[in-house]
Amino acid sequence: MNIEKLAKHLKEFTLDEIEMIAECDCKAELEHLLNGGKIVFEQGSYKYVEISMKIDFGIFLATDNKQELNFEQAVNIFIENYAKKHCKKRTYETYESIFRVNITPFFRKYCLNNINQELVIDFYKKCKSRQLGTRRLKNTMTLLNQLIKYFQNLGVIDKSCNFQVRRLIDKNKFSINRIIFEE
């Protein structure tokens, strides 16, 4: 029998009472609970101590904590901390493939916080010249946006590079007009 649960239920009890209910010798278990601070012995009886959750708050000042993070490091962090934890295996593998084949070769020499809208447009043109399929091109641009937003939301980079990938024309066509840059 779980003596701790029984003590929690009874709230206050004597050694004889708990031994009678548990139908066993509880001295060792009660000693363990006493040492752990879960029960106390007062005026001839044991009392269960409700452990209140103590929440400490910290004050964090907004500082310029933007980091120089190279693109390959950023991709590895994104894959490990986001894709592996929140995506299905197939999606994770697709992300890894898109980064490895399409995105990282172009951005390898840049720091993540140096990526701007002009660079994204150049990347789009490079992908178009490689004749990526419409769907792969859209997924590549969307994944790049997702990576940038991930680090912007973490506060690692500033929010100067904002763009969206949306369908503005025929479903099966993809062009620079489908990328919307925000000021």
Side-chain angles (χ1 to χ4, degrees):
M1 174 169 251
N2 189 331
I3 303 302
E4 184 178 349
K5 283 185 180 180
L6 184 57
K8 185 177 181 178
H9 180 72
L10 293 173
K11 304 280 188 227
E12 189 173 333
F13 52 90
T14 65
L15 179 60
D16 292 337
E17 290 172 335
I18 200 161
E19 284 182 344
M20 185 173 43
I21 294 170
E23 298 178 344
C24 66
D25 185 19
C26 304
K27 289 180 187 175
E29 184 70 25
L30 289 176
E31 191 68 34
H32 178 69
L33 293 173
L34 277 169
N35 292 337
K38 296 184 179 180
I39 62 172
V40 294
F41 186 74
E42 295 177 347
Q43 301 171 348
S45 66
Y46 294 95
K47 293 181 182 173
Y48 183 78
V49 178
E50 288 290 332
I51 299 172
S52 61
M53 296 299 286
K54 182 179 179 186
I55 300 174
D56 291 329
F57 294 95
I59 297 174
F60 300 94
L61 301 175
T63 58
D64 187 19
N65 62 347
K66 307 298 183 257
Q67 301 172 10
E68 289 290 323
L69 189 63
N70 78 41
F71 194 82
E72 289 181 281
Q73 290 172 326
V75 168
N76 290 335
I77 291 169
F78 177 80
I79 291 289
E80 290 298 315
N81 295 336
Y82 178 77
K84 266 190 178 176
K85 293 180 181 176
H86 302 290
C87 299
K88 293 180 181 176
K89 185 177 188 263
R90 182 72 182 128
T91 304
Y92 163 77
E93 290 169 351
T94 302
Y95 282 9
E96 213 172 33
S97 172
I98 290 173
F99 277 124
R100 184 174 21 85
V101 175
N102 298 335
I103 301 174
T104 302
F106 184 86
F107 290 103
R108 176 174 281 128
K109 61 187 174 206
Y110 297 100
C111 286
L112 189 62
N113 50 345
N114 292 338
I115 296 175
N116 56 29
Q117 293 175 349
E118 292 80 27
L119 201 54
V120 172
I121 292 171
D122 290 343
F123 174 65
Y124 171 80
K125 290 176 181 174
K126 172 93 170 166
C127 289
K128 277 299 265 187
S129 70
R130 288 180 48 218
Q131 298 181 344
L132 288 180
T134 303
R135 187 173 183 182
R136 181 59 88 167
L137 180 57
K138 176 191 70 73
N139 290 343
T140 299
M141 296 304 294
T142 302
L143 187 56
L144 175 62
N145 186 37
Q146 191 174 358
L147 173 84
I148 291 170
K149 294 284 188 215
Y150 177 79
F151 284 101
Q152 286 174 342
N153 290 336
L154 289 178
V156 174
I157 60 172
D158 61 17
K159 297 188 177 199
S160 63
C161 183
N162 290 317
F163 67 96
Q164 297 176 15
V165 179
R166 296 193 309 185
R167 182 181 303 136
L168 297 177
I169 55 177
D170 187 12
K171 179 179 178 178
N172 296 325
K173 292 185 181 178
F174 189 77
S175 69
I176 190 71
N177 297 333
R178 289 181 63 182
I179 301 174
I180 299 172
F181 292 96
E182 301 170 0
E183 294 300 321

